[in-house]
Amino acid sequence: MIQLEEFKEVCQKSIEMIEASGLLLTAEDKEKMTAADFGLSQIKKEGVQILTMFQTNRIAGKILVLLPYQTEPEHWHPTVGDDPGKEEVIRAISGDLYFYIPGESTIEKGFIVEGKEDCYTMRNEVHLKPGDQLVLPAGTKHWFQAGEKGAVMYSFSTTVTDLNDQFTDPNIIRETVIEGEPSKAY
């Protein structure tokens, strides 16, 4: 659960980071900015801010923002019915961005969230600089983290089934509940 004031704060900071990266946002875009705390109630530590630019039945484009040292928890996009799962392309726009995917342990710049060693099992670090991109095939377990400047990135994907995402951390709740706002989940 996240407090309404903190939700507004992280969304506003994310809008500022997007605009500082050189992307133009409309008033409508700014209204669509949201945040996910994954039910962990530590949004600035484990969470992500999301602006959905477009979403159809087949493709989606989002801008994802991580505040300085913020981490999106380890997850994967599973098969859903006949769909093999969401395939995703991440393209770094600004800041320090570190992705962790299957492979040899090369973690150097990032860090495991304290006390969560069992929840962050992927340790193959991929440092994305602005303009770099990473393709995540469906079902690929991954997590990502920002460095001291935070990070702004594009996420282009096949069908969005985010509410079906699976997480390594058993305490995660996919829907974010905002305290202080009448029964609205994000």
Side-chain angles (χ1 to χ4, degrees):
M1 183 176 305
I2 183 172
Q3 299 297 316
L4 179 59
E5 287 308 310
E6 188 173 29
F7 174 82
K8 288 179 180 179
E9 175 191 344
V10 298
C11 287
Q12 181 57 43
K13 176 65 177 163
S14 296
I15 289 167
E16 292 166 9
M17 288 173 64
I18 292 169
E19 291 179 327
S21 76
L23 299 178
L24 300 176
L25 297 178
T26 65
E28 183 182 353
D29 291 333
K30 293 175 186 179
E31 288 295 316
K32 292 191 301 185
M33 177 60 69
T34 192
D37 79 339
F38 303 101
L40 300 173
S41 302
Q42 299 183 86
I43 186 82
K44 293 176 185 172
K45 188 179 204 178
E46 290 180 288
V48 64
Q49 290 67 243
I50 306 158
L51 172 59
T52 301
M53 297 179 296
F54 61 87
Q55 183 170 316
T56 71
N57 290 333
R58 297 184 58 194
I59 62 171
K62 299 177 180 183
I63 299 173
L64 306 179
V65 179
L66 292 178
L67 302 175
Y69 302 111
Q70 189 179 31
T71 304
E72 176 160 342
E74 185 172 278
H75 65 284
W76 63 97
H77 311 292
T79 299
V80 178
D82 293 334
D83 188 293
K86 183 171 88 171
E87 183 175 11
E88 188 171 23
V89 177
I90 299 294
R91 185 171 180 97
I93 300 170
S94 67
D96 306 310
L97 180 58
Y98 306 100
F99 260 78
Y100 299 91
I101 59 175
E104 180 183 341
S105 180
T106 59
I107 192 166
E108 183 181 310
K109 300 275 187 178
F111 59 91
I112 304 297
V113 175
E114 187 176 339
K116 297 259 185 133
E117 292 77 14
D118 293 345
C119 299
Y120 291 92
T121 63
M122 298 297 101
R123 308 285 171 91
N124 183 4
E125 184 176 85
V126 178
H127 180 190
L128 297 181
K129 298 181 271 332
D132 289 346
Q133 66 184 34
L134 178 65
V135 176
L136 296 166
T140 303
K141 193 179 277 192
H142 62 284
W143 59 280
F144 48 102
Q145 185 174 75
E148 68 179 328
K149 298 176 186 176
V152 177
M153 69 205 88
Y154 287 118
S155 166
F156 300 109
S157 70
T158 55
T159 304
V160 174
T161 55
D162 291 346
L163 293 179
N164 294 312
D165 287 354
Q166 299 294 305
F167 292 86
T168 307
D169 185 340
N171 296 313
I172 286 185
I173 300 167
R174 184 57 181 95
E175 292 189 44
T176 296
V177 176
I178 301 170
E179 188 170 305
E181 194 166 66
S183 56
K184 191 170 186 179
Y186 292 84

